[in-house]
Each structure stands twice: as C-alpha cells, then as structure tokens.
Amino acid sequence: MTKIGSSSTPPASAVIADEHDGAPDHLDALESESITIIRETAGAFERPALLFSGGKDSAVLLHLSRKAFYPGPVPFPLLHVDTGHNFGETLAFRDQAARVSGAKLIVRSVEDAIRRGIASEDPGPMPSRNRAQSPTLLDAIAELGLDALIGGARRDEEKARAKERVFSVRDEFGQWDPRNQRPELWRTFNTSLRRGGHMRVFPLSDWTELDVWRYIQREHVELPSLYFAHEREVVERQGRLTPISPFTPLAAGERAQTLTVRFRTVGDLTCTAAIESRATTLEQIIAELEASTTSERGSRLDDRTSEAAMEDRKKEGYF
Amino acid sequence: MPSGESSTVSRGGSPISVPTGDHDDLAQREPPSGSVALRPPLRVTTCGAVDDGKSTLIGRLLFDTRSVPRDQLEAIERASRARGQSEPDLSLLTDGLRAEREQGITIDVAYRYFGTPRRRFIVADAPGHAQYTRNMATAASVADLAILLVDARNGITHQTRRHALIATLMRVPSVVLAVNKLDAIEDPQAVFERVCSAFAELMPADVRAIAPPDIRARFKTIPISALRGDNVVRRSGATGDGPAPRGSTLGWYTGPTLLELLENAEPRAARAMPLRLQVTAVIRPGDGAIAGTGVQARAYGVFILEGRVSVGQEVVILPSGRRSRVASLGLYERSLTYADAPRAVTLTLEHEIDVARGDFIADADRPPEASSSIEADVVWFDRNPLVSGARLIVKQGARSVRAIVERVAHRHDPNQGAVRLESDAASELAENDVGRVWLKTSAPLVFDVYERSRAMGSFILIDRTSTDTVGGGMILQGGVA
C-alpha cells in the first residue's frame, strides 16, 4: 500500500566527509532547528508524544525524531487520533512507518469517544469528525498523562497558525489563548507548565510546504501513495473533487468520474479533496507546487466554514 | 572560517560554490538557474506604531512578489468588498485573528514566508501597541533585519524611539527606516529628508551611546508608499523594472527598493567565532556501542551555536571545566569531519566524563566566560514590576539556573536616554521597560557578552510561580562571583 518516493536509494552510510559538510544550507538550517526543538521536548518533559497521522508532515517529524536520537531509539510514543474516516492507505502507512521506526504506536478512536459520550457527531449528511477529534485527544492526554504533544503544524498553512508559538501552552481544558501567548526570544524555549496544562510543540513552524517536499526528496522520506498521482473515482462537489468512499457516497443525481488525481494534503475522507495531477514522482510534485497558484489548504473543506474556522477549532484544543 | 572562503556543495548536478562568512559579494551575484535558494532564509521583522501600515507593507511585499495564493487573494477581496472597499485590503493577509480583523489592529506576531529568485524570507509582523512591546522584542531577538516604519504625517514618535532602542539593544544586524504614506502629503521629498534627519538627531542618546559605529552605519532610510506599492518591490511610478517616470510622487528617489535592501542584507556580522555548542540530548544507544565508532556508552545531541566543530578537536566542557577531544561527529547514518554553526549534530567524546543536557562544549583554547554574577540589559514583560530581591529562573537554551535580582541599576528611557535609578529596594522595571540589572545565580552562567554573540549572550527570565516568560536578557559582563 505504501510507496517510496521516486528515488528509492537509501542514504549512503559513508564514513568519509559527505556533501553535507560545510556551511549549512536552507534545509540544513530548518532541520537543525527542528531537531533541537524535538530534543528539547524529549529532555524537558516527563511524557511527551508525537502526534502521528500518517500524513506527510508527521512523516517528516518522525524522520527528524529518528535523526535526533540516532543511534538511540525514538524516546517517545506516537499517538494517532483515528476519526474512523481515514483513508485505508493512510492507516496502512501509519502502521508500517511506526514499525520501521521502532517507536510505540498508540491509537485512540473518535468512534470510541462518541460511543462513550465524551464526543459527539456533527449532525447532517457527510458529518465531519473534525470537532470530535479535540475531546478525543484531550481524553487521551489525560488517560496517558501526557505533558507535551509534538505536532506537524506549520505557520505557512493558515492565518491563525501563523501566530502560533513553537512551544504553545494549553490549559487543563486544552484551550489556546492567542491573546496571551508567551514571548519566544532567541532560540530559548520556556518549557515550564502549570498544573494540569500541557504543551503543544511545533518543530516545523518555520517550514513551508515546498521545504517539506524538498526535504522529503533529499532525505528519501517514505509517504502514503495518496500523495502521488493515481486513478480514483471522484465526484465534483462545489468545484472540488471529493473521493467516493463509504463515508462520502454518491448522492442522487451526482455523477462519478474516474480521474488521475493526487492529494496535496491528507485529512479525513470527508474533508479532503483531490486535485487533478499527473505528478507521480517527487520531482514532478515539486515542479507542480512551484507553479501552483493556490494554497495547500485551499482543498481542505474544514477551513472554509468561516474566516476564523481554524482559530475557533484551535481554541477548543484542536491541533 | 575566514571571510570569503568557500566550500563546495554538490546537489546531484555540478558543484556550486557557496561563500561562507562575508555574504556581500554573494548578494551581487545571480543564483545558479533552477537551483533552490542555498542560503538560510533572512529573518525580517517590521516594527512601528499602530496604524503606520506594517500589515499593509507586508501584504504589499507578498502581493508584488506574487507570493499570495489565488484562493487567499480571493478571500481578502471578498472581505474587502463586504466592508465597502474597492481595492483589496492587503493588511488582511496578515491580520489572522478574529479580534484583529474586528478592531483593525495587529495583536500578535504573525509569520509570513516568501521568496524571490535571489533569497528566501521569514517575515515577523510585530504589533505596534505599546502593551505588545514584548512581541516586538520576540521578533527582534532573532531578526537579521528590522524595518522600522514611520508614518510621514506623524514623523518620529515615542514608539519609533522605543523600537529603535530595542532593535539596537538586541543587535539586529541591519535596520531600515522606511518612511511610509508619503503619497498622502505635500512635498514628500522635504518631509522624507526632515524625518531622516529627525531620526538621526532624536535617536535616543542612549541608543547612540550603546550603538557602536558599525551598527549606526547600518541604519538605512527609504521613502515608500505601502498602499500604492511605491519603492517596495517596484520603483515609484514604474510599471515594470525601469526607472520612474517624471512627475511621480517618489520619482526623485534613486536608491534601492525595499526588496533590494532585503535581498542584499547581510544576515549577521561576518566574524569568526571560536566553537560554542550546547548539549541538548544525552543519547544512550540501545545496543551499547555506537555503530562504526567503537565508542561505547554515550553520544551527545548538540546544537552548534558558534564556530566550527571538528573531529579530534580539543574541547572544554562547561561549567565543569573538564577537557576532552571530539572522537566522532555525525548525524544519523552520516559521519562528518566537521560541521559549522548553526547546526544540530551528534558527537562522542574521547573520555568518559560526566556531561549533562544543557552543558556547553567550547574551544579549549578560547573558552567562554563563566560567572555567578552577571550584569545584563533586560526587557521586562510582566505586569508585576521587576524589583531587587526577585527570585527567577534564568534559562539559556537547554540550561536553567535559579537567580536573584541583586540590583536594578537603571532604566533606558527611549525619550530621555539612560535614567539612573537609585540603587535601593525601590528601584524597579515596569512592564515593557528596558533596564540594566545585576543577577546572582545558583550556578555559574556560561556566556560570551551579547555584543559578541547573540546565541551565547542571551537568556530568558521565567517566573517560578506563574511559569510565564517575564523577561529577556542580554549579558554585558560577568562580575566577581
């Protein structure tokens, strides 16, 4: 189910001085900052975890975590909040990537949380489980006693995220208070917590979408096949190509099409739209993005509900 | 590394020569075609009073460099039309929080990312309100360049002086005074010249005193109109890259555009520093031996703050003062013979000595200072004032020590210059004040003075009860412990 990026040669474990010797370039600088943030999190907190969705950003985070602690093991577990609406490819990739990394994978399910009454399903057809993710996550944090969650959010994704700190404090209700954030000076991070609170840590804060793809290419990071062009049955809804699945069935009067598509961002089946693309290699994806005039989250239906959709969800504890 | 020395980087194709150290000549050269920008991005911050047009300026930079995705542009066009504006309001690109859009002001630092074929930029939009000075300090602490925005109609204000003071104290390598809204006034050239000389004159005595000549020389001035885009990316009145037509508002200005100033800025003073690195993780390999090195026991995840680390190098561990040599160096499955700041790597030492997370490792011949008594300039953020006798946590990277404020020596006043305070128990720093203090610490601080190294000379102050970050400090000197 999974696919390796176009160039599948593993990095040479040469003992001679290699191409990365010398002055750090753009990707080296980003990588070094992220690795330092991940090491700081592992060192400063009792029970950190890495939020692992199986998407490209969390795949990069896992890769950075392996590099940060090599030759030792990744010293924290991976946590996935499974909405039950995931792509099968994402889940298969999640399990395989966790196995390869040697890190422990913990899965907590939104369906379970709904059954237990701590989360509720949005009403209406094609319900999104976006909001139901937050109580499920907060419940998992309490259950597992987690004090820091490493996430793959980037500031270039969305306007509310552009204001996020690298180490971002959450109170015991999981709330983000954008008007009262800690100043972050130089590269020294305040990792202190008040009782009951926890930290959200964003090592990829300063990466752009293109940085992520160029890094995936340079480091041969594996990804789910969804990101590469493939044939898929989709239906056009409000100008967007929605994949047809048990959670997003064809409605009366709609016409399914089989198109060559890929996903630029991968969330739930209910909120992720495909884009028409023939990009089957990392080189082609990067070229496509360089020429693109729309933003990454332009194909995410969950951000389009209102101008402040992301800000409101973040205040409730969303990632 | 000596200025101008080059190292060769291979990216699959032909080798590309990358000068390290002094970047002056690089800025004049075109990058190799089709290559990813090789240099780390330039960090830029914008500062100025509220309504000086900071968000509009950043929006203009993004818009005119074609960095705004179509869907985001459509969103702000919709929002602008809904408010009855005929032109898209570019400030909406950065004002991301609901309260900001409602009040039409910027509350929190917003980060934007854009690039040109010559360089990549990370722009921090720092708010202008006095109560948000801490956010300006946050952005300035890591900035390579600060754009100090002035509304031509108001001239130099109290906020301009405060921001100039913070930018100077924090040693932002380049500062650009951008006189904005010149499209809205009569005789813009005379006004621009008046503002520039007022800035030079009225720069607080304090700033002039503390700014060494090389920093003052880096203040550059430029007339702009963010609203119309004059001299931001395009020359005033120009439709393409050609010269401005006669009669345009700012056509008399013949210097570089703001974008050209950004593209040519030096990220920091080219100065070879001796090795400084900090241990950020102690790594215990699962199987006991580190592959390929024969070294047992422990490896250290480190961040190189200054200089270069090489295999075989003689180093000193601080604060313990013990010596060893670098046995191996690498990252993941790659071995390295040397690595340069700023970079995260993993290393092992020849001797099995006690090294903890937060320890510093340095050039054994040119070590940093260590002292339990420190004089520092402090930017204070907390609502409760900083007073003598206060107990705080000092954090430098991965190392925390306890500290007591021994004395608040004086406060820097942006209007009047240094105001000496009586060194008694009543002396204090209020919220957003910048002042000079003496701290006594529970263990020696390892440092180089801030003027020499932002990385080795800075710390944050944490309140032990609230856990908030209440201040930022820049070390001036160590005292007798």
Side-chain angles (χ1 to χ4, degrees):
Chain A
M1 292 288 265
T2 60
K3 158 160 184 166
I4 298 170
S6 62
S7 31
S8 54
T9 340
S13 45
V15 184
I16 48 161
D18 68 21
E19 72 204 64
H20 293 303
D21 252 349
D25 70 7
H26 182 79
L27 290 180
D28 292 330
L30 291 172
E31 175 189 70
S32 289
E33 278 187 11
S34 302
I35 283 177
T36 302
I37 290 160
I38 291 167
R39 286 171 171 168
E40 179 70 9
T41 309
F45 294 93
E46 297 284 323
R47 282 188 196 168
L50 191 156
L51 276 168
F52 191 72
S53 68
K56 69 179 191 310
D57 300 296
S58 61
V60 166
L61 273 185
L62 181 57
H63 181 77
L64 289 165
S65 301
R66 292 175 70 187
K67 288 187 91 163
F69 301 102
Y70 180 89
V74 175
F76 37 73
L78 314 180
L79 173 63
H80 183 226
V81 176
D82 184 355
T83 58
H85 288 174
N86 279 292
F87 287 89
E89 291 93 331
T90 310
L91 296 180
F93 172 77
R94 175 198 73 186
D95 293 344
Q96 187 196 306
R99 211 164 34 242
V100 169
S101 77
K104 184 183 170 194
L105 175 67
I106 302 169
V107 179
R108 288 294 174 269
S109 133
V110 168
E111 265 166 3
D112 218 40
I114 292 172
R115 265 200 303 278
R116 286 163 50 211
I118 59 169
S120 56
E121 189 107 54
D122 275 4
M126 249 183 73
S128 162
R129 287 191 170 160
N130 231 308
R131 277 182 184 276
Q133 264 181 289
S134 301
T136 314
L137 175 62
L138 295 178
D139 187 59
I141 290 168
E143 176 210 334
L144 301 166
L146 303 175
D147 54 1
L149 290 173
I150 302 169
R154 306 189 322 270
R155 286 173 179 154
D156 85 322
E157 281 180 87
E158 203 277 335
K159 286 200 288 188
R161 283 188 170 165
K163 310 229 159 183
E164 183 61 272
R165 296 292 189 263
V166 177
F167 283 75
S168 187
V169 183
R170 296 293 185 273
D171 65 14
E172 61 184 311
F173 302 101
Q175 296 182 106
W176 181 54
D177 181 2
R179 301 196 69 160
N180 192 27
Q181 300 197 73
R182 286 176 178 171
E184 283 185 338
L185 292 99
W186 299 288
R187 306 310 293 171
T188 293
F189 300 105
N190 181 351
T191 50
S192 320
L193 282 177
R194 266 184 257 192
R195 194 173 294 277
H198 70 272
M199 195 71 82
R200 302 279 171 99
V201 185
F202 304 108
L204 303 182
S205 285
D206 280 335
W207 296 51
T208 64
E209 185 186 14
L210 262 170
D211 293 331
V212 169
W213 282 104
R214 287 177 180 140
Y215 188 74
I216 286 167
Q217 182 183 37
R218 184 180 95 170
E219 300 283 313
H220 313 283
V221 178
E222 290 193 26
L223 292 181
S225 54
L226 295 162
Y227 287 105
F228 301 87
H230 56 280
E231 287 207 335
R232 184 175 287 266
E233 225 187 359
V234 295
V235 59
E236 194 174 327
R237 283 179 186 151
Q238 298 166 310
R240 295 189 142 58
L241 300 177
T242 305
I244 295 170
S245 73
F247 315 112
T248 51
L250 207 58
E254 285 184 329
R255 192 173 57 86
Q257 300 167 269
T258 300
L259 297 174
T260 303
V261 297
R262 67 176 201 89
F263 294 91
R264 186 165 166 189
T265 168
V266 174
D268 274 0
L269 272 158
T270 54
C271 68
T272 307
I275 54 169
E276 283 203 80
S277 169
R278 307 226 160 249
T280 55
T281 67
L282 290 168
E283 285 79 3
Q284 287 164 354
I285 288 173
I286 288 166
E288 186 182 278
L289 288 172
E290 281 172 335
S292 168
T293 57
T294 53
S295 72
E296 181 179 7
R297 295 187 79 93
S299 57
R300 288 287 282 257
L301 302 168
D302 44 341
D303 289 346
R304 292 178 59 89
T305 318
S306 84
E307 268 275 280
M310 174 69 88
E311 181 184 346
D312 292 345
R313 273 182 292 140
K314 277 177 69 72
K315 282 178 179 167
E316 290 172 13
Y318 182 73
F319 233 86
Chain B
M1 182 184 286
S3 163
E5 188 176 321
S6 296
S7 61
T8 299
V9 177
S10 168
R11 276 288 171 279
S14 55
I16 298 156
S17 183
V18 187
T20 56
D22 194 339
H23 291 280
D24 239 356
D25 57 332
L26 184 71
Q28 306 306 322
R29 253 183 274 142
E30 286 304 312
S33 65
S35 79
V36 175
L38 285 170
R39 284 182 294 168
L42 189 83
R43 288 179 175 271
V44 179
T45 178
T46 52
C47 31
V50 69
D51 286 336
D52 281 352
K54 292 180 305 299
S55 298
T56 306
L57 175 64
I58 295 177
R60 175 57 68 185
L61 274 170
L62 297 169
F63 184 77
D64 283 0
T65 53
R66 298 188 178 88
S67 308
V68 185
R70 202 182 59 217
D71 50 316
Q72 285 182 12
L73 198 59
E74 284 166 0
I76 67 155
E77 278 168 354
R78 273 198 305 275
S80 302
R81 266 200 309 277
R83 295 177 180 187
Q85 293 163 311
S86 56
E87 296 281 313
D89 182 349
L90 296 179
S91 72
L92 295 176
L93 284 171
T94 55
D95 290 341
L97 302 176
R98 189 192 288 276
E100 294 175 324
R101 284 191 299 275
E102 283 165 5
Q103 297 170 35
I105 55 158
T106 307
I107 289 169
D108 202 82
V109 186
Y111 297 88
R112 298 295 305 211
Y113 304 79
F114 77 102
T116 68
R118 299 180 62 182
R119 203 165 204 178
R120 304 278 303 277
F121 303 97
I122 299 177
V123 181
D125 182 13
H129 281 309
Q131 64 265 43
Y132 298 120
T133 292
R134 64 183 203 173
N135 291 329
M136 193 241 146
T138 298
S141 71
V142 292
D144 301 308
L145 182 145
I147 301 171
L148 206 53
L149 211 56
V150 172
D151 184 335
R153 297 169 305 180
N154 304 330
I156 304 290
T157 62
H158 178 75
Q159 276 299 325
T160 317
R161 292 191 199 116
R162 179 182 289 275
H163 289 153
L165 172 69
I166 293 173
T168 310
L169 273 173
M170 296 205 138
R171 308 280 175 203
V172 179
S174 308
V175 177
V176 176
L177 183 79
V179 183
N180 191 24
K181 305 198 180 182
L182 282 164
D183 56 297
I185 49 161
E186 298 271 326
D187 201 356
Q189 185 167 9
V191 172
F192 172 67
E193 278 158 14
R194 211 154 53 229
V195 171
C196 290
S197 59
F199 183 70
E201 290 285 312
L202 290 177
M203 263 225 316
D206 215 27
V207 172
R208 268 182 278 140
I210 58 176
D214 69 309
I215 287 191
R216 255 183 296 159
R218 287 189 191 170
F219 278 85
K220 294 202 166 66
T221 55
I222 183 169
I224 62 164
S225 164
L227 190 67
R228 300 189 348 174
D230 291 352
N231 295 334
V232 178
V233 172
R234 285 174 288 123
R235 249 165 236 302
S236 181
T239 44
D241 291 331
R246 281 156 57 88
S248 73
T249 327
L250 307 178
W252 42 269
Y253 173 77
T254 53
T257 62
L258 184 61
L259 183 66
E260 285 165 347
L261 287 176
L262 299 186
E263 286 182 330
N264 295 334
E266 290 176 50
R268 60 176 175 168
R271 182 196 283 143
M273 279 285 290
L275 170 67
R276 306 283 187 256
L277 57 83
Q278 190 175 33
V279 176
T280 55
V282 176
I283 297 164
R284 289 171 186 82
D287 56 7
I290 295 161
T293 65
V295 175
Q296 304 290 314
R298 291 188 297 179
Y300 303 101
V302 303
F303 185 72
I304 310 165
L305 298 156
E306 302 277 3
R308 168 178 294 182
V309 61
S310 307
V311 173
Q313 185 172 7
E314 181 95 30
V315 292
V316 59
I317 291 96
L318 294 157
S320 75
R322 307 185 77 150
R323 286 175 169 239
S324 187
R325 253 190 306 274
V326 177
S328 73
L329 192 63
L331 187 62
Y332 202 40
E333 291 163 335
R334 295 172 192 275
S335 293
L336 301 169
T337 51
Y338 69 90
D340 289 331
R343 185 105 185 254
V345 291
T346 301
L347 60 77
T348 59
L349 296 173
E350 276 186 11
H351 308 91
E352 276 206 42
I353 48 180
D354 184 34
V355 180
R357 205 175 88 80
D359 282 0
F360 291 89
I361 297 179
D363 183 331
D365 297 327
R366 290 179 294 171
E369 297 179 55
S371 176
S372 300
S373 181
I374 297 287
E375 187 189 31
D377 280 325
V378 164
V379 190
W380 188 249
F381 308 126
D382 203 33
R383 233 170 254 146
N384 301 314
L386 174 70
V387 294
S388 299
R391 287 163 187 274
L392 297 159
I393 294 167
V394 168
K395 193 168 188 227
Q396 286 177 292
R399 182 161 187 255
S400 298
V401 299
R402 287 167 179 249
I404 300 174
V405 179
E406 290 217 293
R407 195 153 67 87
V408 181
H410 65 254
R411 190 160 56 90
H412 299 291
D413 187 295
N415 290 319
Q416 300 164 49
V419 177
R420 291 238 153 249
L421 300 176
E422 297 304 318
S423 36
D424 59 21
S427 59
E428 61 177 48
L429 294 182
E431 185 179 9
N432 293 317
D433 275 351
V434 184
R436 194 155 293 180
V437 304
W438 278 92
L439 297 171
K440 190 170 78 183
T441 54
S442 60
L445 284 185
V446 177
F447 67 94
D448 293 289
V449 294
Y450 188 78
E451 193 189 333
R452 273 173 63 78
S453 168
R454 281 165 116 186
M456 285 296 295
S458 61
F459 58 83
I460 63 167
L461 292 168
I462 299 168
D463 184 289
R464 294 196 310 195
T465 310
S466 72
T467 72
D468 288 338
T469 304
V470 289
M474 295 147 276
I475 299 172
L476 294 151
Q477 61 169 319
V480 182

